[in-house]
Amino acid sequence: MKKTFQLIATAAAGLEAVVGREIRELGIECQVENGRVRFEGDIESIIQTNLWLRSADRIKIIVGMFPAKTFEELFQGVFALDWENYLPLGAKFPISKAKCVKSKLHNEPSVQAISKKAIVKKLQRYYARPEGVPLMENGPEFKIEVSILKDMVTIMIDTTGSSLFKRGYRIDKGGAPIKENMAAAILLLSNWYPDKPLIDPTCGSGTFCIEAALIGKNIAPGLYRSFAFEDWTWVEKDQVQKARAEARAQMKQDVQLDISGSDLDARMIEIARNNAEEAGVADSILFKQMRLQDLHTDKINGVIISNPPYGERLLDDSAVTKLYQEMGETFAPLQTWSKFILTSDEAFESKYGSSADKKRKLYNGTLKVDLYQYFGQRVKRQLRE
């Protein structure tokens, strides 16, 4: 098997730099590109990035890249790749996805079929199996993806399985929850640190609060879930168990966090508590049923993070306008607090009553949203007495 791999971490548009920073913090050099971060690594790197990246979607191996304008060139390019270094005899290898953009080859089902045929032929030759006799595919699964952009083919294997946002703690959710990896990315983009108070006044199923607690306690986001690569014969089980054991040893269970979430809906608060319990952080978060307008605090230098309901999600326009006005009035007295508010409403600032210090364009799924950032006045904490 290969010792090193060309790898990419995929990311939602606007979050690539956050993913790049996380990868560098793991001690891995990387290049940030549109929608992904490219890096090189070994099996250990595959394990660590899946286990620890909070803001990425998936980790994929790049098997190879080559130009192709015809199906014959596609077949020969796929056939030439070193599949024997990835796919053991008996492996399942569905071509799970083909995506063609601005390319001569644009029939995606045909791209899938021809890529599959080329891999089958290569493996039949390598494992000395007669042509015409189907390969048995009853072993571990390697999901293969084919991407063709401007006639350049990239062939990848997904190491992750279910997307990295699926941490495994979400028992239930509300009408329009934010994905866990996007919530984590926004926390990493904010000026919140675990020694600061954090409030989510529209907490829904509790995602921001739970992700903050996972960051504060240094709990690896992938610790309690499994990954596709764990079934692969060339990934040592001992190596995965060792990485998980090391991640457990790095948890800071005794750290004191000041994280609270509130919501008007009592049912959502119950869901948030259950999710926090499942994530192992229930003791670090105070959830409370409360109207947003009733938010008051004497604490200083805190951070408010909110993903309020907006037009495309849950509320009609008049209710959204009223909610944003109430937000502006309620948050205004909290002058030392920074506020980070995610919404697709382009008229947010006028409804809220003040212009953001900074605005960042992101995508919540396919929906374009903005993260409005208001930075609090800095006050030394000892002046509090």
Side-chain angles (χ1 to χ4, degrees), residues 128-169:
R129 292 297 185 268
E131 285 193 31
V133 177
L135 287 172
M136 295 296 289
E137 292 190 37
N138 51 10
E141 185 172 67
F142 295 76
K143 283 190 174 171
I144 296 165
E145 299 179 10
V146 183
S147 167
I148 310 180
L149 175 62
K150 295 180 181 174
D151 301 320
M152 180 59 70
V153 181
T154 305
I155 309 285
M156 295 167 285
I157 299 174
D158 173 37
T159 74
T160 300
S162 295
S163 177
L164 289 175
F165 80 81
K166 294 187 176 177
R167 318 285 205 222
Y169 64 71

Side-chain angles (χ1 to χ4, degrees), residues 120-358:
V120 168
K121 187 171 182 182
K122 181 64 172 273
L123 294 180
Q124 282 173 329
R125 184 170 295 184
Y126 182 79
Y127 291 116
R129 292 297 185 268
E131 285 193 31
V133 177
L135 287 172
M136 295 296 289
E137 292 190 37
N138 51 10
E141 185 172 67
F142 295 76
K143 283 190 174 171
I144 296 165
E145 299 179 10
V146 183
S147 167
I148 310 180
L149 175 62
K150 295 180 181 174
D151 301 320
M152 180 59 70
V153 181
T154 305
I155 309 285
M156 295 167 285
I157 299 174
D158 173 37
T159 74
T160 300
S162 295
S163 177
L164 289 175
F165 80 81
K166 294 187 176 177
R167 318 285 205 222
Y169 64 71
R170 190 176 287 199
I171 298 170
D172 202 350
K173 58 189 180 186
I178 189 167
K179 284 181 178 174
E180 291 87 331
N181 56 353
M182 187 168 190
I186 289 168
L187 285 158
L188 295 172
L189 280 169
S190 78
N191 59 2
W192 179 75
Y193 289 93
D195 63 341
K196 291 183 177 182
L198 178 82
I199 295 174
D200 180 355
T202 57
C203 73
S205 57
T207 310
F208 274 123
C209 296
I210 294 168
E211 289 296 321
L214 293 175
I215 291 169
K217 285 176 169 281
N218 199 38
I219 297 174
L223 190 57
Y224 300 115
R225 56 158 287 173
S226 60
F227 302 100
F229 69 79
E230 292 184 68
D231 294 329
W232 298 352
T233 50
W234 45 268
V235 176
E236 296 287 339
K237 293 210 172 349
D238 288 354
Q239 207 173 350
V240 181
Q241 286 166 357
K242 181 170 174 273
R244 289 188 188 279
E246 286 170 355
R248 285 191 186 92
Q250 291 175 51
M251 287 162 61
K252 300 173 182 173
Q253 287 293 18
D254 54 350
V255 72
Q256 293 299 306
L257 300 172
D258 185 351
I259 301 171
S260 59
S262 57
D263 201 280
L264 189 58
D265 186 342
R267 190 181 69 88
M268 292 313 303
I269 293 299
E270 189 61 31
I271 287 171
R273 286 189 183 125
N274 291 338
N275 289 341
E277 189 74 46
E278 192 69 17
V281 294
D283 59 338
S284 298
I285 309 168
L286 175 66
F287 286 114
K288 183 179 176 186
Q289 183 195 6
M290 189 176 77
R291 297 187 316 157
L292 182 135
Q293 308 92 290
D294 294 334
L295 173 63
H296 303 287
T297 179
D298 294 327
K299 294 170 184 172
I300 63 165
N301 296 345
V303 173
I304 291 171
I305 290 200
S306 174
N307 177 37
Y310 34 84
E312 288 86 345
R313 288 172 74 231
L314 299 172
L315 297 182
D316 62 40
D317 286 348
S318 60
V320 164
T321 300
K322 186 168 183 289
L323 175 67
Y324 293 162
Q325 286 170 345
E326 287 167 350
M327 264 189 171
E329 291 160 8
T330 304
F331 297 168
L334 306 176
Q335 294 182 3
T336 69
W337 285 64
S338 294
K339 298 98 181 176
F340 297 84
I341 301 156
L342 188 73
T343 175
S344 67
D345 191 333
E346 293 183 354
F348 170 77
E349 288 163 303
S350 62
K351 295 172 183 177
Y352 181 79
S354 66
S355 297
D357 296 312
K358 198 173 171 187

